[in-house]
Amino acid sequence: MTTVKTSRPSIRLHGRSYHAMVLAPEPPLEDWLAGLDAWLSRSPVFFFGRPVVLDVAMLQPGKQGLAELLEHLTKRNIKVMGIEGAEPSWLDFAMPPLLLSGRQAAPQELSGDAEAPAPAVKSENEAKPPASETPLDSAASPAPAETIRVRQPSSLLLDTPVRSGQCIVHPEGDVIVVGSVASGAEVIAGGSIHVYGVLRGRAIAGSRDARARIFCRKLEAELLSIDGLYMVADDMPAHLRGQPVQAWLDGDSMMMAQD
Amino acid sequence: MAKVLVVTSGKGGVGKTTSTAALGAALASAGKNVVLIDFDVGLRNLDLVMGAERRVVYDLINVVQGDAKLVQALIRDKRLPSLSLLPASQTRDKDALTDEGVANVIGELKEKFDWVICDSPAGIERGATLAMRHADVAIIVTNPEVSSVRDSDRIIGLLDSKTEKAEKGERVEKHLLLTRFDAVRAGRGEMLNVDDVLEILSIPLIGIIPESTEVLRASNLGSPVTLSNPVSPPARAYFDAAKRLNGETLEVAVPNDRRGLFGKLFGRRAA
């Protein structure tokens, strides 16, 4: 068993997820705005303080149309914090930023008052299930319960090697790599990192959980870090290079042991 | 259906242009219609290696920008009628290439040829990503030494993310071509051996080209090594690699330095 004390400054890496409600206007815009007004007349404070993301993929307004739409929403006291489905050229500095790769969230994750209806506002006169973010043809639309997706699993399984220059970020939990992590690659996990292969790159674990551990079948790592405390290859014990190793934190020291 | 092949590496100077010319000539000798495209805008070399540098009128940039038609820019090889070359521009730089323009050129070429071979520039910037964008098959040229292997790994990662096939969820077929392999140095541990490289890169091996003076001799003559000296060890290795590209299964032989008895007895030439 080996103890190594590190007094270096730490790198704190945090990812955070927030749940936002998505407003996805559909053409014709006037009808949609009328529907929105009707909704607001029934629940005037529904959008107060809620982070709202505007998805314009269906509307495709263009630069001018997007600016006008944002004005319409501001007049109705709806604060838009991000925009999805827009061309980067439509956005200027004053507008909310472009968001990419959002995931559907289960409705219970969205905090709300008791009167709040199901999330995702659509136009009033539709028969589509209310919770889906991008409805497909309404004729084949499933029952509302099925369109609510299950919460994201908390561990990420990769069965291809992680190539040099790739950066795997998964703050929600563990990362399991069935394969090797190449020199120059990074794996950043909120929980533990398990590499069933050679770990040649960087493994940064425990950004959310100081109990996280790093496991690998062959240690050739450039850098290991758990909850902000890191150790570079030069500081790792020489007899552990090339061996199956487990690393964890004990207070302020990183412990490593041959598995 | 035409296949688009990109010869790429990440690291510079490992043998991409040499291999593009040699493989292109090998495939054309077997009867296929092959076109080679030089994507190294501003630092073109494929025309030199092919011996066509004195016949370049129009180039890839001219075609992309609409100044010339594709047929005006294509240079037919004098030795192999089924082999053609689309040279790069030497006076411009890669910013003159547009995604759409390149897509149109490759689309047109796919209708006329069996193999469209793209000679990628070194690096991971726009030139390299444009060269690989439309690839169906990729040959990653690697020298058996650490920096080349790491750069090749990087380019393999890019092949899985920046190509049209990757964006559609399909995979680009990848093959490793180990070049400048020196068996003696590998034996002494100065160079990585084949197993080490395969273990790090984890892609199938399509050929091992031994280090040879024939390669420089061929490029000085302005000819692919498979045409200038088809029986030399590198040329034979390239012919084998071309056969494997066409789907044949041939065992990859690791070239070694052992000469036969005659080679040792009569190895030295008289002055």
Side-chain angles (χ1 to χ4, degrees):
Chain A
M1 260 239 305
T2 318
T3 312
V4 183
K5 276 211 175 348
T6 48
S7 57
R8 303 266 187 86
S10 43
I11 323 166
R12 297 254 163 208
L13 286 153
H14 294 290
R16 289 220 201 278
S17 312
Y18 297 92
H19 293 292
M21 203 165 285
V22 177
L23 270 182
E26 290 157 46
L29 186 60
E30 297 73 33
D31 294 351
W32 185 80
L33 285 171
L36 182 62
D37 286 335
W39 183 284
L40 288 170
S41 66
R42 291 198 307 268
S43 323
V45 297
F46 181 67
F47 285 105
F48 271 24
R50 272 185 211 272
V52 170
V53 167
L54 183 63
D55 183 352
V56 292
M58 276 187 286
L59 188 65
Q60 295 285 314
K63 191 167 174 153
Q64 181 64 17
L66 182 58
E68 285 170 3
L69 178 57
L70 286 169
E71 266 184 51
H72 283 302
L73 293 173
T74 313
K75 267 192 291 194
R76 290 163 176 79
N77 281 321
I78 297 174
K79 294 250 165 60
V80 177
M81 73 163 197
I83 300 183
E84 271 194 342
E87 296 290 313
S89 52
W90 299 344
L91 295 155
D92 63 32
F93 190 67
M95 292 188 192
L98 186 65
L99 296 174
L100 301 166
S101 60
R103 286 187 223 116
Q104 281 191 300
Q108 60 266 26
E109 291 166 345
L110 295 159
S111 64
D113 35 21
E115 342 142 8
V121 179
K122 292 287 190 289
S123 56
E124 189 189 20
N125 54 340
E126 38 86 11
K128 295 174 197 144
S132 89
E133 203 173 76
T134 46
L136 300 166
D137 53 323
S138 46
S141 64
E146 289 167 41
T147 63
I148 298 169
R149 296 269 184 82
V150 173
R151 190 184 290 237
Q152 197 76 4
S154 66
S155 68
L156 178 66
L157 175 72
L158 297 165
D159 55 7
T160 52
V162 181
R163 299 282 179 186
S164 181
Q166 290 181 340
C167 183
I168 310 290
V169 183
H170 188 71
E172 292 95 2
D174 290 5
V175 173
I176 306 162
V177 183
V178 184
S180 296
V181 176
S183 163
E186 290 181 351
V187 179
I188 302 174
S192 297
I193 296 177
H194 312 251
V195 179
Y196 291 99
V198 186
L199 174 57
R200 292 193 176 94
R202 292 181 164 196
I204 298 169
S207 61
R208 280 218 180 146
D209 181 4
R211 294 167 306 164
R213 300 187 177 206
I214 300 177
F215 303 84
C216 62
R217 279 215 181 132
K218 197 170 178 192
L219 180 72
E220 306 278 356
E222 292 159 359
L223 181 143
L224 294 180
S225 166
I226 302 179
D227 190 34
L229 240 55
Y230 66 87
M231 190 189 299
V232 288
D234 269 355
D235 299 332
M236 291 178 204
H239 66 275
L240 289 177
R241 294 302 279 186
Q243 303 302 316
V245 160
Q246 187 189 153
W248 69 99
L249 274 191
D250 187 359
D252 253 349
S253 346
M254 192 176 293
M255 316 279 279
M256 291 169 67
Q258 182 158 346
D259 253 345
Chain B
M1 187 62 204
K3 274 195 172 178
V4 180
L5 167 71
V6 63
V7 179
T8 184
S9 71
K11 188 132 183 15
V14 295
K16 292 180 291 299
T17 302
T18 304
S19 301
T20 304
L23 282 171
L27 287 167
S29 312
K32 306 280 182 183
N33 281 325
V34 181
V35 62
L36 312 177
I37 313 179
D38 191 354
F39 270 89
D40 203 348
V41 180
L43 287 176
R44 70 172 181 214
N45 283 316
L46 192 54
D47 57 319
L48 281 175
V49 171
M50 292 297 294
E53 74 273 20
R54 292 187 291 186
R55 288 182 287 146
V56 178
V57 181
Y58 294 109
D59 54 61
L60 176 62
I61 303 262
N62 292 138
V63 179
V64 162
Q65 294 189 332
D67 302 328
K69 291 212 180 51
L70 194 52
V71 288
Q72 294 173 293
L74 283 174
I75 301 174
R76 190 166 293 210
D77 190 76
K78 287 184 178 155
R79 300 154 291 217
L80 286 170
S82 59
L83 181 62
S84 299
L85 166 69
L86 180 58
S89 166
Q90 184 68 344
T91 51
R92 313 290 299 279
D93 63 47
K94 57 176 163 48
D95 298 327
L97 284 177
T98 60
D99 291 344
E100 247 184 59
V102 170
N104 287 338
V105 169
I106 296 205
E108 242 188 283
L109 288 170
K110 275 171 90 161
E111 289 166 22
K112 300 189 177 127
F113 292 93
D114 301 319
W115 283 97
V116 178
I117 306 186
C118 302
D119 182 18
S120 172
I124 49 172
E125 299 290 317
R126 194 170 152 66
T129 50
L130 263 179
M132 67 170 66
R133 185 137 181 86
H134 304 276
D136 302 313
V137 186
I139 290 189
I140 293 108
V141 182
T142 309
N143 286 353
E145 50 98 15
V146 290
S147 33
S148 176
V149 170
R150 175 143 66 159
D151 291 358
S152 291
D153 198 58
R154 182 80 171 98
I155 214 84
I156 293 171
L158 287 180
L159 282 165
D160 284 333
S161 60
K162 292 214 173 174
T163 50
E164 270 192 2
K165 272 209 155 177
E167 282 172 9
K168 283 192 244 168
E170 298 161 19
R171 312 203 84 194
V172 174
E173 208 182 296
K174 298 180 212 71
H175 300 279
L176 176 66
L177 185 67
L178 212 50
T179 51
R180 307 196 70 169
F181 184 79
D182 187 330
V184 172
R185 300 188 80 180
R188 288 202 290 247
E190 288 168 12
M191 281 189 142
L192 292 175
N193 65 38
V194 181
D195 295 322
D196 293 337
V197 178
L198 285 174
E199 199 254 305
I200 298 173
L201 294 179
S202 320
I203 51 174
L205 183 63
I206 201 172
I208 303 178
I209 317 294
E211 172 78 68
S212 168
T213 49
E214 277 307 315
V215 169
L216 185 59
R217 203 169 292 160
S219 91
N220 285 338
L221 289 172
S223 165
V225 70
T226 40
L227 285 184
S228 70
N229 192 347
V231 293
S232 61
R236 278 187 280 129
Y238 276 120
F239 276 117
D240 286 350
K243 286 189 195 149
R244 289 184 201 104
L245 263 182
N246 273 324
E248 276 181 52
T249 27
L250 286 169
E251 209 185 292
V252 180
V254 180
N256 55 32
D257 199 43
R258 279 178 296 147
R259 294 138 89 204
L261 179 64
F262 280 142
K264 289 202 177 93
L265 282 177
F266 302 113
R268 299 253 201 91
R269 285 223 190 121

PDB file of all heavy atoms in Angstrom, chain A residues 60-72:
ATOM      1  N   GLN A  60     -38.575  28.320 -37.129  1.00  0.00           N
ATOM      2  CA  GLN A  60     -37.560  28.790 -38.076  1.00  0.00           C
ATOM      3  C   GLN A  60     -37.758  30.270 -38.414  1.00  0.00           C
ATOM      4  O   GLN A  60     -38.062  30.613 -39.551  1.00  0.00           O
ATOM      5  CB  GLN A  60     -37.602  27.958 -39.375  1.00  0.00           C
ATOM      6  CG  GLN A  60     -37.221  26.506 -39.182  1.00  0.00           C
ATOM      7  CD  GLN A  60     -35.730  26.314 -38.989  1.00  0.00           C
ATOM      8  OE1 GLN A  60     -34.918  26.885 -39.715  1.00  0.00           O
ATOM      9  NE2 GLN A  60     -35.344  25.528 -37.999  1.00  0.00           N
ATOM     10  N   PRO A  61     -37.646  31.158 -37.421  1.00  0.00           N
ATOM     11  CA  PRO A  61     -38.022  32.547 -37.674  1.00  0.00           C
ATOM     12  C   PRO A  61     -36.999  33.376 -38.417  1.00  0.00           C
ATOM     13  O   PRO A  61     -37.341  34.396 -38.977  1.00  0.00           O
ATOM     14  CB  PRO A  61     -38.223  33.111 -36.262  1.00  0.00           C
ATOM     15  CG  PRO A  61     -37.325  32.293 -35.418  1.00  0.00           C
ATOM     16  CD  PRO A  61     -37.234  30.942 -36.025  1.00  0.00           C
ATOM     17  N   GLY A  62     -35.722  32.986 -38.444  1.00  0.00           N
ATOM     18  CA  GLY A  62     -34.727  33.892 -39.014  1.00  0.00           C
ATOM     19  C   GLY A  62     -34.351  34.952 -37.988  1.00  0.00           C
ATOM     20  O   GLY A  62     -34.926  35.041 -36.904  1.00  0.00           O
ATOM     21  N   LYS A  63     -33.377  35.789 -38.342  1.00  0.00           N
ATOM     22  CA  LYS A  63     -32.820  36.715 -37.342  1.00  0.00           C
ATOM     23  C   LYS A  63     -33.862  37.732 -36.870  1.00  0.00           C
ATOM     24  O   LYS A  63     -34.052  37.946 -35.673  1.00  0.00           O
ATOM     25  CB  LYS A  63     -31.620  37.424 -37.957  1.00  0.00           C
ATOM     26  CG  LYS A  63     -30.840  38.179 -36.934  1.00  0.00           C
ATOM     27  CD  LYS A  63     -29.500  38.623 -37.433  1.00  0.00           C
ATOM     28  CE  LYS A  63     -28.899  39.492 -36.327  1.00  0.00           C
ATOM     29  NZ  LYS A  63     -27.561  39.564 -36.246  1.00  0.00           N
ATOM     30  N   GLN A  64     -34.560  38.325 -37.821  1.00  0.00           N
ATOM     31  CA  GLN A  64     -35.525  39.352 -37.475  1.00  0.00           C
ATOM     32  C   GLN A  64     -36.673  38.745 -36.680  1.00  0.00           C
ATOM     33  O   GLN A  64     -37.120  39.269 -35.662  1.00  0.00           O
ATOM     34  CB  GLN A  64     -36.040  40.005 -38.782  1.00  0.00           C
ATOM     35  CG  GLN A  64     -37.031  41.111 -38.591  1.00  0.00           C
ATOM     36  CD  GLN A  64     -36.442  42.285 -37.862  1.00  0.00           C
ATOM     37  OE1 GLN A  64     -35.225  42.434 -37.750  1.00  0.00           O
ATOM     38  NE2 GLN A  64     -37.293  43.130 -37.353  1.00  0.00           N
ATOM     39  N   GLY A  65     -37.151  37.614 -37.186  1.00  0.00           N
ATOM     40  CA  GLY A  65     -38.286  36.952 -36.531  1.00  0.00           C
ATOM     41  C   GLY A  65     -37.945  36.546 -35.110  1.00  0.00           C
ATOM     42  O   GLY A  65     -38.768  36.629 -34.195  1.00  0.00           O
ATOM     43  N   LEU A  66     -36.700  36.116 -34.901  1.00  0.00           N
ATOM     44  CA  LEU A  66     -36.308  35.695 -33.568  1.00  0.00           C
ATOM     45  C   LEU A  66     -36.290  36.882 -32.627  1.00  0.00           C
ATOM     46  O   LEU A  66     -36.765  36.816 -31.487  1.00  0.00           O
ATOM     47  CB  LEU A  66     -34.926  35.035 -33.638  1.00  0.00           C
ATOM     48  CG  LEU A  66     -34.373  34.474 -32.329  1.00  0.00           C
ATOM     49  CD1 LEU A  66     -35.305  33.446 -31.742  1.00  0.00           C
ATOM     50  CD2 LEU A  66     -33.007  33.864 -32.561  1.00  0.00           C
ATOM     51  N   ALA A  67     -35.780  38.018 -33.114  1.00  0.00           N
ATOM     52  CA  ALA A  67     -35.750  39.220 -32.267  1.00  0.00           C
ATOM     53  C   ALA A  67     -37.171  39.632 -31.897  1.00  0.00           C
ATOM     54  O   ALA A  67     -37.463  39.983 -30.743  1.00  0.00           O
ATOM     55  CB  ALA A  67     -35.027  40.345 -33.005  1.00  0.00           C
ATOM     56  N   GLU A  68     -38.074  39.546 -32.890  1.00  0.00           N
ATOM     57  CA  GLU A  68     -39.464  39.934 -32.602  1.00  0.00           C
ATOM     58  C   GLU A  68     -40.100  38.977 -31.614  1.00  0.00           C
ATOM     59  O   GLU A  68     -40.825  39.382 -30.703  1.00  0.00           O
ATOM     60  CB  GLU A  68     -40.282  39.931 -33.900  1.00  0.00           C
ATOM     61  CG  GLU A  68     -39.974  41.122 -34.775  1.00  0.00           C
ATOM     62  CD  GLU A  68     -40.616  40.984 -36.156  1.00  0.00           C
ATOM     63  OE1 GLU A  68     -41.338  39.991 -36.388  1.00  0.00           O
ATOM     64  OE2 GLU A  68     -40.362  41.862 -36.993  1.00  0.00           O
ATOM     65  N   LEU A  69     -39.824  37.693 -31.782  1.00  0.00           N
ATOM     66  CA  LEU A  69     -40.405  36.699 -30.877  1.00  0.00           C
ATOM     67  C   LEU A  69     -39.936  36.937 -29.454  1.00  0.00           C
ATOM     68  O   LEU A  69     -40.707  36.855 -28.489  1.00  0.00           O
ATOM     69  CB  LEU A  69     -40.016  35.300 -31.360  1.00  0.00           C
ATOM     70  CG  LEU A  69     -40.483  34.129 -30.517  1.00  0.00           C
ATOM     71  CD1 LEU A  69     -41.982  34.125 -30.346  1.00  0.00           C
ATOM     72  CD2 LEU A  69     -40.038  32.819 -31.152  1.00  0.00           C
ATOM     73  N   LEU A  70     -38.643  37.250 -29.305  1.00  0.00           N
ATOM     74  CA  LEU A  70     -38.128  37.502 -27.961  1.00  0.00           C
ATOM     75  C   LEU A  70     -38.812  38.718 -27.351  1.00  0.00           C
ATOM     76  O   LEU A  70     -39.109  38.745 -26.151  1.00  0.00           O
ATOM     77  CB  LEU A  70     -36.615  37.706 -28.012  1.00  0.00           C
ATOM     78  CG  LEU A  70     -35.812  36.419 -28.227  1.00  0.00           C
ATOM     79  CD1 LEU A  70     -34.369  36.737 -28.538  1.00  0.00           C
ATOM     80  CD2 LEU A  70     -35.887  35.526 -27.012  1.00  0.00           C
ATOM     81  N   GLU A  71     -39.096  39.723 -28.185  1.00  0.00           N
ATOM     82  CA  GLU A  71     -39.820  40.894 -27.667  1.00  0.00           C
ATOM     83  C   GLU A  71     -41.211  40.518 -27.206  1.00  0.00           C
ATOM     84  O   GLU A  71     -41.680  40.982 -26.156  1.00  0.00           O
ATOM     85  CB  GLU A  71     -39.958  41.935 -28.772  1.00  0.00           C
ATOM     86  CG  GLU A  71     -38.867  42.968 -28.755  1.00  0.00           C
ATOM     87  CD  GLU A  71     -39.132  44.019 -29.816  1.00  0.00           C
ATOM     88  OE1 GLU A  71     -40.264  44.552 -29.825  1.00  0.00           O
ATOM     89  OE2 GLU A  71     -38.221  44.279 -30.611  1.00  0.00           O
ATOM     90  N   HIS A  72     -41.888  39.695 -28.030  1.00  0.00           N
ATOM     91  CA  HIS A  72     -43.240  39.249 -27.631  1.00  0.00           C
ATOM     92  C   HIS A  72     -43.202  38.592 -26.264  1.00  0.00           C
ATOM     93  O   HIS A  72     -44.063  38.798 -25.410  1.00  0.00           O
ATOM     94  CB  HIS A  72     -43.777  38.224 -28.638  1.00  0.00           C
ATOM     95  CG  HIS A  72     -44.269  38.827 -29.919  1.00  0.00           C
ATOM     96  ND1 HIS A  72     -45.260  39.782 -29.964  1.00  0.00           N
ATOM     97  CD2 HIS A  72     -43.914  38.587 -31.197  1.00  0.00           C
ATOM     98  CE1 HIS A  72     -45.475  40.113 -31.248  1.00  0.00           C
ATOM     99  NE2 HIS A  72     -44.688  39.411 -31.998  1.00  0.00           N
TER     100      HIS A  72
END
